[in-house]
Amino acid sequence: MAIGSLGFVAADCGYKAVTYDIPTVQPGNKVIYAQPGIAVADGTTTNTATSLRDAFAKAIKGDAIVLKAGTYVVDSVIYSNKSVTMVPEGNANPTITGMASIIVTGK
């Protein structure tokens, strides 16, 4: 997988499109949708996606964050001590960029 890119994998010096399924979560857990350029929203459906930072804030251990297409600019550290799954929506190719990091330390 290319650094900062979640929707494509390197294959024979080119790129091969990969489609991801929405993760299945355990009872008591949820799927949270994130979209670049959004401030804060519900995040429970693709139409009510929230910011990446808010998605991490809403997440609990075992949740899944689904990234909609676009560029996510991380301008300050996003820190999470929760183990979450993070995948692109379908065959979207979201990119995470910026001068800060996403630090996840959960188990």
Side-chain angles (χ1 to χ4, degrees):
M1 235 179 232
I3 296 174
S5 178
L6 298 173
F8 289 83
V9 293
D12 299 323
C13 299
Y15 289 97
K16 175 183 171 189
V18 176
T19 300
Y20 292 85
D21 294 325
I22 301 301
T24 302
V25 295
Q26 298 297 316
N29 289 107
K30 61 193 170 297
V31 174
I32 303 166
Y33 291 85
Q35 181 172 338
I38 299 296
V40 175
D42 181 73
T44 58
T45 69
T46 189
N47 294 326
T48 62
T50 191
S51 69
L52 183 59
R53 179 175 304 282
D54 189 52
F56 272 101
K58 290 179 187 314
I60 63 171
K61 181 179 180 181
D63 284 352
I65 297 173
V66 176
L67 302 176
K68 295 176 69 71
T71 300
Y72 295 80
V73 179
V74 179
D75 55 3
S76 61
V77 174
I78 296 175
Y79 177 80
S80 176
N81 62 353
K82 308 158 206 153
S83 179
V84 298
T85 300
M86 191 168 66
V87 298
E89 182 180 46
N91 64 352
N93 190 22
T95 302
I96 300 172
T97 187
M99 300 300 294
S101 301
I102 298 173
I103 301 169
V104 180
T105 62
K107 295 180 181 178

